Amino acid sequence: MDPKQIVLLAFQVSIAATVFGFGLAATRDELMFLWRRPQLFIRSLIAVLIVMPAFAILLVRVFHFRPVVEVALLALAISPMPPLLPRRMHKGGGEDAYGISLLLWLSLVALVAVPLARLILSAWLGPEVLSSGKIAKVLLLMVVLPLVAGAFLRSRWPAIADRIDRPIKLGAMVLLAMAVVVLLAVAWRPMWNAVGDGTIFAVVLFVVVGLAVGHFLGGPSRDTSVVLALATACRHPVVALTIASSSAPGSQFGGTILLYVLIASLVATPYLMYQHRCETPPPKPKVA
């Protein structure tokens, strides 16, 4: 196993462990949060799976970026939210149950929606080189199964879930941090090569529009608008890389996808800080 495969495996294990930790703290009611709110569920699907792919198509038609950037944007637009996002949603004041439920249901819907979207976007993504089974495998192994397994353990053996919750999350964070450091050390040159020709502009615009669309459709409550804003703007990099690479095997998309992950994190930070400030009321002045 070469170093690249080791880093990828570390990422996959750390993400699966993190999602398993989410499941350990989740109840059945939290997982079914969206199912019991059909209007919010429909608005969530419209924001993530309809509006943003349409915007990505408009973006590549109007500005004519490099083919690698265009395919990467379209692949990101039809990918679901990343598994680590609920942690950031919580920091921004979002509803935890909505974040966990959205992670589960978007991943399940994506099992059908992503292959269908690839067929619709075949004019850009080229012929079906890779079967959709690999995309389904990524979603099942990294999101659906760990989340459901953690929730099942919580429901059957809550004492065990409480005992292993903290060690699982801590181990996942340490492994993820190590993998990120190694990845940045190895991939800084592809990321640098992805800079230019409007790539940063395209990614920033995609993230900003995603935040605005998600915030609007997730409202009027800030508890849900923050969650949908992040879910709409931030997409699963592994699924996006799988879609892009299978659609154009001769191209290198890693640098563009990694650049997107970095920019999305930076652009979303001021939004989260503002939402957190709005959630926290200013201290009352002391009466003399």
Side-chain angles (χ1 to χ4, degrees):
M1 185 177 292
D2 59 42
K4 182 179 179 181
Q5 292 175 318
I6 294 175
V7 173
L8 181 60
L9 180 61
F11 263 113
Q12 293 172 339
V13 172
S14 64
I15 290 174
T18 300
V19 176
F20 180 69
F22 291 154
L24 289 175
T27 64
R28 184 176 182 277
D29 288 339
E30 289 176 328
L31 294 178
M32 300 301 292
F33 179 91
L34 263 181
W35 189 256
R36 297 190 176 104
R37 294 162 175 82
Q39 291 187 355
L40 181 60
F41 197 175
I42 293 173
R43 295 203 308 271
S44 302
L45 295 180
I46 290 174
V48 177
L49 299 178
I50 296 179
V51 176
M52 292 312 293
F55 177 72
I57 292 174
L58 178 64
L59 202 58
V60 300
R61 274 187 170 274
V62 171
F63 292 101
H64 302 291
F65 301 109
R66 289 181 296 127
V68 170
V69 178
E70 292 183 354
V71 174
L73 281 175
L74 293 168
L76 286 165
I78 63 176
S79 299
M81 63 183 279
L84 302 181
L85 207 55
R87 185 176 295 152
R88 296 199 75 190
M89 294 172 175
H90 175 77
K91 293 180 180 179
E95 171 65 48
D96 289 345
Y98 180 30
I100 295 296
S101 184
L102 190 62
L103 176 64
L104 173 64
W105 290 104
L106 276 183
S107 298
L108 289 173
V109 172
L111 295 176
V112 176
V114 171
L116 179 61
R118 282 194 71 203
L119 291 175
I120 295 174
L121 297 176
S122 59
W124 288 274
L125 298 181
E128 292 288 315
V129 179
L130 181 70
S131 70
S132 301
K134 189 168 184 178
I135 298 170
K137 182 179 178 181
V138 169
L139 293 172
L140 287 172
L141 293 181
M142 296 180 64
V143 180
V144 178
L145 292 181
L147 189 60
V148 173
F152 177 78
L153 184 61
R154 159 66 58 184
S155 65
R156 295 295 299 272
W157 300 284
I160 297 178
D162 289 335
R163 191 176 305 128
I164 67 174
D165 183 24
R166 183 175 177 82
I168 289 288
K169 290 179 179 178
L170 182 60
M173 289 178 60
V174 172
L175 186 61
L176 180 63
M178 295 171 59
V180 168
V181 171
V182 175
L183 181 64
L184 290 176
V186 173
W188 69 269
R189 188 176 295 277
M191 287 180 62
W192 179 256
N193 292 337
V195 175
D197 296 334
T199 303
I200 293 180
F201 168 77
V203 172
V204 170
L205 193 58
F206 181 88
V207 175
V208 170
V209 171
L211 289 172
V213 168
H215 187 90
F216 174 75
L217 291 178
S221 172
R222 184 179 292 112
D223 294 342
T224 54
S225 62
V226 171
V227 173
L228 189 54
L230 290 176
T232 306
C234 304
R235 300 309 182 95
H236 200 309
V238 177
V239 173
L241 186 58
T242 301
I243 296 171
S245 299
S246 67
S247 302
S251 303
Q252 298 295 322
F253 297 96
T256 303
I257 300 294
L258 287 174
L259 188 64
Y260 161 79
V261 173
L262 179 61
I263 292 176
S265 179
L266 293 175
V267 172
T269 297
Y271 169 80
L272 287 173
M273 293 174 63
Y274 175 76
Q275 295 301 323
H276 181 71
R277 181 178 299 178
C278 291
E279 180 191 31
T280 305
K284 295 181 180 180
K286 294 182 179 180
V287 179

